[in-house]
């Protein structure tokens, strides 16, 4: 299975390898579009508002997220509204603040809130790096559910470069799980070649279009005077500094599944949290890309 959170990768897969690669891609919506469904669905219901009365803005690390939000799959025909109405990058947020003459350190902090109700007391994060932690979460879950093994720390084995790494679960010398992360198009092309030759040994691959993943996304703020390597290390440190949570242990997530989605594997969860992909015919030119 190939991760589905990165629209840069999905667009490439649909345009370049279409019907060959699509069946291998997880149908789970990206975090942005899951949030779109929650805001225009769950949150709208909580507020007794129709979805078209809510304007949903996300702040994202890349411009591809704008294209993702504009896919017809994420348009509500009944209410003529998108699940995500506006996407701005972190760099654009800074530019907007500069245009308004506002400096973030001078702004009074306000309490965090959450779409799932109640006030968050502190900012949370997830384990598994700055691109969503899909590999680590799926690896731990699969090890526990399929083999009854609780995984402690995860050891990555770099392959060709730091953006192509492997993680394995072994028992008595037998490989039970073999996962990988492949970031950047050079590694993605390598991965696709392996798949085409029938020589891809991985059960799951966290695929991301940007080298170094989302923290290095094209829409991120570029700091003056810092080398891109130092800047990335600083962003990684900051991203990992909040307390990491395990999603299924979060009480609000549990309640959401129980009350609104009707259980972990319900038909409603399938409908709300999953999407589909579309092979783009080869005759479409670069000026006629379908999203
Ligand atoms: S890897 Fe890059 S293109 Fe893909 S979602 Fe992250 S920032 Fe966007």
């Amino acid at each position: 299975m190939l991760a589905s959170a990165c629209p840069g990768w999905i667009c490439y897969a649909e345009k370049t390898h279409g019907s060959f690669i699509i069946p291998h891609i997880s149908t789970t919506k990206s975090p942005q579009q899951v949030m779109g469904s929650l805001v225009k669905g769950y949150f709208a219901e909580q507020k007794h508002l129709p979805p078209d009365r809510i304007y949903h803005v996300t702040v994202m690390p890349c411009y591809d997220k704008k294209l993702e939000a504009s896919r017809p799959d994420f348009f509500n025909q009944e209410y003529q509204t998108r699940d995500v109405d506006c996407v701005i990058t972190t760099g654009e947020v800074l530019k907007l603040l500069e245009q308004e003459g506002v400096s973030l350190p001078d702004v009074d902090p306000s309490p965090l809130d959450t779409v799932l109700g109640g006030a968050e007391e502190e900012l949370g994060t997830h384990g598994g790096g700055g691109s969503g932690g899909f590999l680590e979460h799926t690896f731990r879950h699969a090890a526990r559910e399929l083999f009854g093994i609780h995984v402690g720390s995860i050891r990555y084995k770099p392959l060709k470069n730091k953006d192509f790494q492997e993680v394995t679960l072994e028992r008595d010398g037998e490989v039970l799980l073999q996962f990988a992360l492949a970031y950047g198009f050079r590694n993605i092309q390598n991965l696709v070649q392996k798949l085409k030759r029938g020589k891809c040994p991985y059960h799951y691959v966290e695929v991301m279009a940007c080298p170094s993943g989302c923290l290095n996304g094209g829409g991120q703020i570029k700091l003056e005077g810092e080398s891109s390597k130092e800047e990335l290390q600083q962003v990684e440190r900051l991203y990992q500094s909040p307390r990491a949570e395990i999603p299924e242990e979060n009480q609000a997530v549990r309640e959401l599944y129980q009350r609104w989605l009707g259980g972990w594997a319900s038909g409603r969860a399938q409908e709300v949290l999953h999407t589909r992909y579309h092979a783009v015919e080869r005759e479409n030119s670069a000026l006629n890309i379908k999203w």
Side-chain angles (χ1 to χ4, degrees), residues 6-7 61-62 64-65 208-210 214 217:
C6 170
C62 63
D64 288 2
K65 287 283 174 190
M208 296 287 157
C210 295
C214 294

Side-chain angles (χ1 to χ4, degrees), residues 135 139 143 151 153-157 165-171 174-180 201-203:
L135 181 151
F139 188 79
V151 174
S153 61
I154 289 184
R155 210 164 56 82
Y156 287 84
K157 181 176 145 206
Q165 302 199 39
E166 199 177 88
V167 175
T168 50
L169 180 74
E170 293 185 23
R171 186 166 55 193
E174 183 196 356
V175 174
L176 302 176
L177 291 175
Q178 197 165 8
F179 281 27
Y202 305 118
H203 298 107

Side-chain angles (χ1 to χ4, degrees), residues 77-90:
Q77 287 292 347
E78 185 184 350
Y79 288 94
Q80 292 291 300
T81 183
R82 296 196 181 285
D83 293 344
V84 177
D85 296 289
C86 174
V87 181
I88 48 177
T89 66
T90 51

